[in-house]
Amino acid sequence: MHILKRSNHKHFIGKEARNLTSVQNKSSKMSAFSLTMLAIGSIIGAGMFLGVGLTIKLAGPSIILAYALMGILMYFNLSFLADLSLLDPEKGSFQTYASKAFGTGVGFVIGWLYWISGILVMSSEATAAAIFSALWFPGIPLWAFMLIYSVVLTVVNLADPRWFGKLESGLAIIKVIALIGFILLGIVLAFFPLLGTAPGWHNVTNTPFFAHGISGFAGSLLLVFYAFSGTSVVGLAISESSDPEKTVPKVVLSTSGIVTFFYVISVLFLLLLHPWTTYNASTSPYVSALLPYKIPIVQSLMNFVILTATLSAMSASMYGTSRMLNALAQQNEAPNFFNKVTPKAVPRRALLFTNAFLIAIAFLSYIIPNKIYLLVTGASGLLSLVNVLTISLAHWRLRQKLLEKRQDYKTHVLGYPTSNFIVTAIFVGVFFSAFAIPDQRASFFLGLSLIAVTAGVYFSVRHKLGAKSQWPISTAEHHEIPTTENSLHTLKHLAQETEKRISEGLRPKNRS
């Protein structure tokens, strides 16, 4: 996620740049369909397939409203990011806009929080994958599965990364097909007594909508938000889309609509099939909802699809997070040790260092196996919330100034700037709601501590970074501030910067 400092350009006129030129012409512009599939694949992961059990337990039937609300907020968040990316396509990432809007310090903190959040996302996905695997092998401990999956996916990521694009698109389609299949099966089981008594609407109407009151509803919002995280990939991939000013607004609307529809409708059928009190985080609700019906193969097939989707999301996070660390090193905002890439354009050192933290998380899963998923998911959600808040506020601050340079720009964001303030206020409320829920306080303090430590590190090293006190500064002062590019296109961008915008290179996919 970066753009090189000018003083560092010459560093890449050598082995790394030459290694990249062999794959310069491998990618093509993305259609609206491809970009939508990329976004959907990045969003739908363990946060939905496993985390929904926790959210139902917290909120009861009102969880339907929580997913609908977050879907609307997701639309605005995507709109803000897409608008900035269209107005300033050369700079393309939320870290860049954070630096431009609020100073180098915020950009530094956002970049490192992205890396830390990426580790937590990988840990969350690894934990979920281990829980899904336990359905078949209940005797194997959680930490063993986490270690196995971490090692295997590390080896996969050390290989040539060019196949990631097609793999992620294909797996995104599998996720969508799995959810469609569950919804269709849910219609049959809920309303047609083919395999026993059809519950109809009884399980929803026979209990209070706000089963645990407003506090339970509010407590679910952070975990629901986590299920929608990864939306930033749309903004990051805009430079890869064809005719972006026409394509991207459609993608924003279609992505928000499709994901929200699948989430709300599939959760509705979870509630229809069984009382909300039967769900928890010990297994995927999408599997446990089908177990009583004893339909041959369906449970195992659904579990396999979910496991595959989770490992896919984990691998994509592994890809992007390691490249973020490599990008920070190229900006002199991380140790130079992580600067290098292999002949196949893999930041091996950054990857191995990043993935080493998964071992620590696996150790935690041995100590607190029943709490690890909520801990890492909640903390990751809080850090992702910081990124979302940054996008909303940066869009509010930068849009008018960027419009002065784009008189031909016709796209507009619904309700700007009022929508920015409303979205920001709601997300701030979600952030602090984590503290109000006893089970989420550990995640809240962990996330808050990581933010404070990262900010403290910046103030400790800012003189070494060559950045004077610029937090915040006006947007007019940002013309010389080194910015960052998204992790999806880091390696291609190095070649482009070095050889004056060479033809397109890598286009891997990620869950940001």
Side-chain angles (χ1 to χ4, degrees):
M1 225 187 210
H2 77 297
I3 291 177
L4 291 174
K5 292 182 178 179
R6 294 184 182 276
S7 60
N8 287 344
H9 283 182
K10 61 183 180 180
H11 180 81
F12 288 92
I13 306 179
K15 184 177 180 180
E16 285 83 7
R18 289 194 298 271
N19 288 332
L20 292 176
T21 57
S22 63
V23 293
Q24 293 169 5
N25 299 311
K26 297 288 184 182
S27 64
S28 59
K29 290 294 183 181
M30 299 174 67
S31 65
F33 176 80
S34 297
L35 188 55
T36 301
M37 285 297 100
L38 167 59
I40 291 173
S42 300
I43 296 167
I44 300 176
M48 179 59 187
F49 288 125
L50 181 62
V52 68
L54 279 171
T55 62
I56 292 175
K57 184 178 179 180
L58 286 168
S62 66
I63 196 62
I64 299 172
L65 179 61
Y67 278 99
L69 173 62
M70 281 300 160
I72 295 172
L73 295 178
M74 169 192 169
Y75 166 76
F76 281 102
N77 180 52
L78 277 173
S79 298
F80 299 153
L81 183 57
D83 200 39
L84 286 173
S85 299
L86 289 171
L87 284 167
D88 193 6
E90 296 299 322
K91 309 295 184 181
S93 79
F94 55 85
Q95 187 192 11
T96 296
Y97 305 130
S99 293
K100 289 168 117 8
F102 304 110
T104 304
V106 175
F108 176 92
V109 171
I110 290 298
W112 276 102
L113 288 182
Y114 179 93
W115 179 74
I116 295 170
S117 177
I119 292 175
L120 295 177
V121 167
M122 286 191 293
S123 304
S124 175
E125 301 288 352
T127 305
I131 291 173
F132 298 148
S133 301
L135 180 71
W136 298 315
F137 308 101
I140 299 179
L142 202 67
W143 62 266
F145 280 120
M146 293 181 68
L147 281 179
I148 292 170
Y149 291 139
S150 298
V151 171
V152 170
L153 291 183
T154 298
V155 172
V156 170
N157 273 265
L158 286 172
D160 192 330
R162 286 176 288 177
W163 57 271
F164 263 77
K166 291 182 179 179
L167 176 64
E168 289 299 314
S169 294
L171 290 175
I173 295 174
I174 291 176
K175 296 176 189 180
V176 171
I177 292 174
L179 286 174
I180 292 174
F182 176 82
I183 291 171
L184 293 176
L185 188 58
I187 293 173
V188 173
L189 296 176
F191 297 108
F192 299 94
L194 301 179
L195 297 173
T197 303
W201 296 94
H202 175 76
N203 290 325
V204 173
T205 57
N206 198 39
T207 187
F209 187 71
F210 290 94
H212 290 304
I214 298 299
S215 61
F217 173 79
S220 71
L221 292 178
L222 178 62
L223 296 176
V224 174
F225 165 79
Y226 180 76
F228 284 96
S229 62
T231 56
S232 59
V233 70
V234 174
L236 302 181
I238 279 178
S239 63
E240 294 293 330
S241 61
S242 57
D243 196 4
E245 290 199 22
K246 291 184 178 179
T247 298
V248 172
K250 296 177 182 178
V251 170
V252 168
L253 183 60
S254 61
T255 299
S256 304
I258 291 172
V259 172
T260 303
F261 172 81
F262 280 134
Y263 280 9
V264 171
I265 300 302
S266 63
V267 169
L268 172 61
F269 278 103
L270 287 174
L271 295 171
L272 291 177
L273 291 177
H274 302 287
W276 65 271
T277 53
T278 62
Y279 296 110
N280 52 56
S282 62
T283 187
S284 171
Y286 292 90
V287 175
S288 61
L290 301 177
L291 286 176
Y293 295 97
K294 298 180 180 179
I295 306 174
I297 305 177
V298 170
Q299 293 92 340
S300 292
L301 180 61
M302 191 71 181
N303 197 62
F304 175 77
V305 170
I306 294 173
L307 174 62
T308 303
T310 301
L311 292 176
S312 163
M314 179 181 172
S315 182
S317 295
M318 193 176 286
Y319 182 97
T321 305
S322 61
R323 279 154 180 78
M324 167 58 92
L325 180 58
N326 176 255
L328 289 168
Q330 300 300 342
Q331 289 180 240
N332 292 330
E333 294 182 348
N336 191 56
F337 176 79
F338 304 114
N339 197 340
K340 294 183 179 180
V341 297
T342 68
K344 291 185 177 181
V346 176
R348 180 186 299 160
R349 295 177 179 179
L351 177 66
L352 293 175
F353 178 76
T354 298
N355 291 0
F357 286 89
L358 290 175
I359 298 175
I361 302 295
F363 178 70
L364 280 177
S365 73
Y366 175 74
I367 300 174
I368 48 173
N370 296 325
K371 297 181 179 179
I372 186 65
Y373 182 78
L374 179 60
L375 178 66
V376 297
T377 300
S380 178
L382 285 170
L383 299 186
S384 298
L385 266 174
V386 174
N387 289 336
V388 170
L389 287 168
T390 302
I391 292 170
S392 179
L393 293 173
H395 178 261
W396 162 72
R397 190 169 189 187
L398 294 176
R399 189 177 195 274
Q400 291 302 322
K401 195 162 194 69
L402 293 173
L403 279 174
E404 294 175 2
K405 301 176 183 179
R406 290 287 308 274
Q407 300 296 327
D408 60 328
Y409 187 75
K410 297 187 183 340
T411 302
H412 65 279
V413 175
L414 184 65
Y416 171 86
T418 304
S419 57
N420 295 74
F421 298 134
I422 294 175
V423 170
T424 299
I426 294 175
F427 278 131
V428 168
V430 173
F431 185 93
F432 287 103
S433 71
F435 177 76
I437 307 302
D439 289 344
Q440 294 187 33
R441 284 178 186 168
S443 297
F444 178 81
F445 286 119
L446 175 59
L448 206 61
S449 298
L450 291 172
I451 295 170
V453 168
T454 306
V457 169
Y458 169 75
F459 281 113
S460 300
V461 303
R462 69 182 188 276
H463 296 297
K464 294 181 180 180
L465 297 175
K468 297 180 180 179
S469 181
Q470 307 180 68
W471 194 356
I473 64 176
S474 69
T475 55
E477 296 172 314
H478 276 271
H479 58 281
E480 294 182 350
I481 292 176
T483 56
T484 62
E485 180 63 0
N486 62 80
S487 59
L488 300 177
H489 312 292
T490 293
L491 300 177
K492 185 179 75 174
H493 193 79
L494 298 183
Q496 290 173 326
E497 285 290 301
T498 304
E499 302 187 5
K500 302 299 181 183
R501 300 193 61 80
I502 58 176
S503 57
E504 296 181 10
L506 298 178
R507 181 168 58 82
K509 311 303 189 267
N510 182 27
R511 177 180 159 86
S512 131

